Amino acid sequence: LISLNGSIVKLHKVKLPLITADDGRAEHNPQLIYNSFINLVRDLTKGYRDRVHSLVISSYISSIVLLDKNGKELSNLITWLDRRTIRTLESVKNNIDLYELYKRTGCPPLYMYPLMKILWLQKDKPDLLKHANYILDSKSYIIFKLLNDPYIDLSTASATQLLNVYSLKWDDLALSIAGIDESKLPKLTEGDVILDKIPASKALNMGLHNDVVLIPSVYDGAAFIAGLGGLDEGIGSSHIGTSAMLRVSSSKPIIDYDNMELHSYYLCRGIWIPGGAIGNAGIVLEWLSSKVGRIDINELMSSLQTIKLTKD
């Protein structure tokens, strides 16, 4: 809960269980995500109901969940940690121009992207994909549940391997490879816009009043860069969290034509954040937690001083 001057009023956390198996799956229960979200907002805003004006959502990238025409979940939410698409990427290398796809989307040929998840579904679960009316990510799923209309911010969309990183529209080549129409995908929007007021019944369920608006924001790593003030061109940002990344803000996409290793994601309003990342899935935090034993990890993290690096 953040005040208008940017100070943190309250902070709540809840851990979501990851559904895993020997076949490489790494999924979240989408209904559990939504219910946890509702409960978290209700707990967080208790005592501040009439002072909350907007709800801003940031989430992880490269996930998909399938919904039917009535909005019913057809699958779990397949997260970016899911490894079942590794073989999919290997199998399509000879049939897809990965270099052209990279030039258009700014997404290197990696197995984690939603495009590869869709191709995996085509082969392993074709009936499921056939009956899907919506192919959403974790954030657009929550937005759909709140507004009955799916939206995805451009920063999150830029990490799907389905968005043209120059036009900021769904890419025709990527869509043809996926074998889907863009009507199955959420509507594209900048992250800093007001989408709509949250319907009164759903606002009430979260303990909010009737005039709370929904803002899609940007994906979690992009939000981190914005929070650090790294929006000016040439400013580099790095963190170690559920992923570890290094990105430098740019006024245009930067494509690694030689090695296809650079990610060129979008942030907001004409700012791109090319760079790279590793998916460590919070192993640093888990390691630290194991070393400190009974010490409360949140209390320990709160006690750490922030170290500011200068040019000197």
Side-chain angles (χ1 to χ4, degrees):
L1 189 65
I2 303 173
S3 69
L4 290 177
N5 65 12
S7 61
I8 297 176
V9 180
K10 290 173 69 177
L11 174 65
H12 281 203
K13 299 180 182 180
V14 60
K15 189 172 183 178
L16 290 169
L18 191 67
I19 302 167
T20 60
D22 292 340
D23 62 359
R25 75 184 62 192
E27 302 174 337
H28 278 148
N29 181 323
Q31 293 173 320
L32 179 60
I33 287 180
Y34 181 68
N35 292 335
S36 298
F37 172 79
I38 296 298
N39 292 332
L40 187 145
V41 172
R42 186 187 298 121
D43 292 341
L44 186 65
T45 58
K46 191 174 297 182
Y48 294 88
R49 177 182 183 274
D50 295 328
R51 298 175 60 186
V52 176
H53 298 285
S54 60
L55 193 62
V56 184
I57 303 177
S58 184
S59 185
Y60 52 80
I61 56 175
S62 298
S63 63
I64 66 169
V65 59
L66 306 183
L67 278 64
D68 67 15
K69 62 181 180 180
N70 298 315
K72 178 179 173 57
E73 298 84 354
L74 297 174
S75 70
N76 280 333
L77 192 142
I78 306 172
T79 73
W80 57 281
L81 291 169
D82 200 286
R83 298 174 61 84
R84 287 172 291 182
T85 52
I86 292 177
R87 291 183 178 177
T88 303
L89 177 60
E90 290 298 319
S91 66
V92 302
K93 280 184 175 180
N94 295 327
N95 302 321
I96 295 175
D97 188 343
L98 294 175
Y99 186 73
E100 180 64 23
L101 184 65
Y102 170 66
K103 287 195 301 181
R104 288 167 171 254
T105 67
C107 294
L110 300 173
Y111 69 87
M112 68 178 189
Y113 290 120
L115 174 56
M116 290 300 132
K117 291 178 171 64
I118 293 171
L119 294 178
W120 173 77
L121 287 167
Q122 282 181 356
K123 182 178 180 181
D124 284 56
K125 300 181 184 293
D127 289 340
L128 198 64
L129 193 61
K130 180 181 179 181
H131 289 94
N133 200 64
Y134 300 103
I135 302 175
L136 307 181
D137 71 296
S138 54
K139 185 196 294 189
S140 58
Y141 168 73
I142 292 177
I143 292 175
F144 178 77
K145 297 284 281 186
L146 292 175
L147 300 182
N148 295 319
D149 208 2
Y151 289 90
I152 186 171
D153 70 275
L154 288 168
S155 76
T156 303
S158 70
T160 61
Q161 210 174 28
L162 294 165
L163 186 81
N164 188 293
V165 76
Y166 295 96
S167 68
L168 301 179
K169 304 291 184 183
W170 295 121
D171 186 76
D172 55 356
L173 173 63
L175 291 176
S176 67
I177 292 172
I180 60 172
D181 185 87
E182 67 177 80
S183 63
K184 291 184 179 291
L185 300 175
K187 301 174 183 178
L188 297 167
T189 180
E190 285 279 7
D192 60 353
V193 301
I194 294 175
L195 292 177
D196 204 347
K197 285 184 180 180
I198 298 173
S201 61
K202 294 180 180 178
L204 182 63
N205 191 33
M206 289 187 284
L208 304 174
H209 61 75
N210 294 341
D211 293 321
V212 178
V213 298
L214 186 63
I215 300 172
S217 183
V218 293
Y219 80 85
D220 54 1
F224 173 85
I225 293 172
L228 275 183
L231 301 181
D232 292 334
E233 186 167 12
I235 298 296
S237 303
S238 180
H239 75 254
I240 301 176
T242 50
S243 66
M245 66 91 177
L246 174 63
R247 301 195 178 280
V248 179
S249 297
S250 171
S251 60
K252 61 183 179 180
I254 306 296
I255 304 297
D256 176 13
Y257 289 103
D258 294 326
N259 301 306
M260 295 193 294
E261 293 180 347
L262 194 68
H263 312 174
S264 199
Y265 298 159
Y266 183 75
L267 195 151
C268 188
R269 299 296 173 184
I271 302 172
W272 283 260
I273 41 176
I278 58 170
N280 59 62
I283 56 176
V284 174
L285 189 60
E286 292 291 338
W287 171 83
L288 182 59
S289 180
S290 70
K291 295 299 181 184
V292 298
R294 289 191 299 271
I295 298 175
D296 184 88
I297 188 65
N298 293 323
E299 182 179 330
L300 176 65
M301 297 299 289
S302 298
S303 69
L304 296 178
Q305 291 184 345
T306 301
I307 300 174
K308 293 185 177 180
L309 301 179
T310 67
K311 292 182 178 179
D312 296 335

